[in-house]
Amino acid sequence: MLKRFKIGDVFSLSVFVLITILLLNEGTRNAYVSINSSHPYILGFLKVGILATFGEILSLRIVKGKYLLPIGVFYRFVIWGLLGIAFVAVFELFGSGTKALLDKNLLPYIDSAQTFFQAFYTSVLMNLIFAPTFMALHRITDGYIDLGEGNIKKIFSLKLDYVLEKIDWKFFIKFVIGKTIPFFWIPAHTITFLLPSNYRVLVAAILSIVLGVLLSFKKKASTKSASISQ
């Protein structure tokens, strides 16, 4: 069993190594840019759907100590994919909109650092305006999948009021909104928006894995601490 888990960990690490190699290689990098430019929504669906779902599996590995598929993994993949399509449009919307604000001197900036200020303001505006809505929506869709136990009939039989009651909105506001946005997402997306547009959604998907992994280690540590105290 331990050997299998080690093989799984090697495979997980290989995914990130493979992505890095493909992006560093000029041929595959140019091919990716070409396909992404021609079919941004299809690539957005696949990139976010695959990587974010993989991130959920990796988070379970850290917390549970073994590889497990999340409840309703296919539906989670579809939801992430649809969000990936939204990210393509939203990233362009806030990127172009922020540039227009700077061009009209509606936001303060230093000429010599305009690129940085544009990335920073784009990250701030996107994370304060769009992110809370997206995060709340995703929390609700996860609630439907979890409470419906991954069964499509049970999922569609659930009432919205019931799902909303089961969500820990206090944790969502205090931690997800109050801490991850200012301390992780705004700095992380500032870096993201310094990159060429073809790489932004991909990097954002990878960053979601990074945050999920960090939070999983924190959750595991908290669980161990609670067990010891008992």
Side-chain angles (χ1 to χ4, degrees):
M1 186 68 74
L2 182 60
K3 182 179 180 181
R4 186 175 69 181
F5 294 158
K6 288 183 178 180
I7 293 174
D9 292 336
V10 171
F11 173 79
S12 297
L13 182 61
S14 298
V15 171
F16 296 102
V17 173
L18 179 61
I19 293 173
T20 302
I21 292 173
L22 292 175
L23 292 178
L24 290 177
N25 180 273
E26 183 177 359
T28 52
R29 183 174 67 249
N30 291 338
Y32 162 77
V33 170
S34 176
I35 297 172
N36 191 71
S37 298
S38 301
H39 308 284
Y41 288 124
I42 294 176
L43 265 291
F45 182 95
L46 293 175
K47 285 182 292 189
V48 177
I50 292 171
L51 288 175
T53 304
F54 172 69
E56 293 199 32
I57 295 172
L58 194 58
S59 295
L60 280 176
R61 160 69 178 92
I62 295 169
V63 175
K64 301 292 186 180
K66 57 183 178 180
Y67 285 96
L68 299 168
L69 290 179
I71 295 173
V73 63
F74 174 74
Y75 305 122
R76 293 178 190 275
F77 164 75
V78 172
I79 294 297
W80 274 120
L82 294 175
L83 289 172
I85 292 175
F87 293 163
V88 173
V90 167
F91 276 38
E92 183 61 35
L93 174 67
F94 280 93
S96 300
T98 303
K99 184 178 184 303
L101 291 174
L102 292 173
D103 290 342
K104 295 181 179 181
N105 294 312
L106 294 175
L107 290 172
Y109 67 94
I110 301 172
D111 288 336
S112 59
Q114 182 173 351
T115 301
F116 169 78
F117 276 94
Q118 182 174 330
F120 173 70
Y121 284 135
T122 302
S123 179
V124 170
L125 292 172
M126 186 180 74
N127 279 291
L128 294 182
I129 297 172
F130 168 73
T133 302
F134 140 65
M135 291 174 173
L137 174 63
H138 193 233
R139 189 57 59 97
I140 292 170
T141 58
D142 276 355
Y144 269 102
I145 294 171
D146 290 334
L147 294 171
E149 300 176 341
N151 183 294
I152 192 67
K153 290 184 178 180
K154 289 184 178 180
I155 290 173
F156 279 103
S157 69
L158 293 171
K159 301 294 184 181
L160 178 59
D161 286 347
Y162 176 71
V163 175
L164 293 176
E165 289 174 0
K166 296 298 181 179
I167 296 173
D168 187 349
W169 292 110
K170 182 178 180 180
F171 172 81
F172 176 77
I173 297 297
K174 292 184 66 175
F175 184 80
V176 178
I177 301 297
K179 292 186 177 179
T180 67
I181 285 181
F183 299 119
F184 181 83
W185 284 118
I186 288 178
H189 278 151
T190 297
I191 297 173
T192 301
F193 281 104
L194 287 172
L195 300 172
S197 59
N198 278 307
Y199 301 101
R200 291 172 184 171
V201 173
L202 174 63
V203 171
I206 294 174
L207 287 172
S208 72
I209 296 177
V210 173
L211 179 60
V213 167
L214 293 175
L215 294 179
S216 295
F217 277 119
K218 181 178 183 297
K219 182 177 180 180
K220 186 175 182 179
S222 299
T223 303
K224 284 186 176 180
S225 178
S227 298
I228 293 173
S229 64
Q230 291 176 358

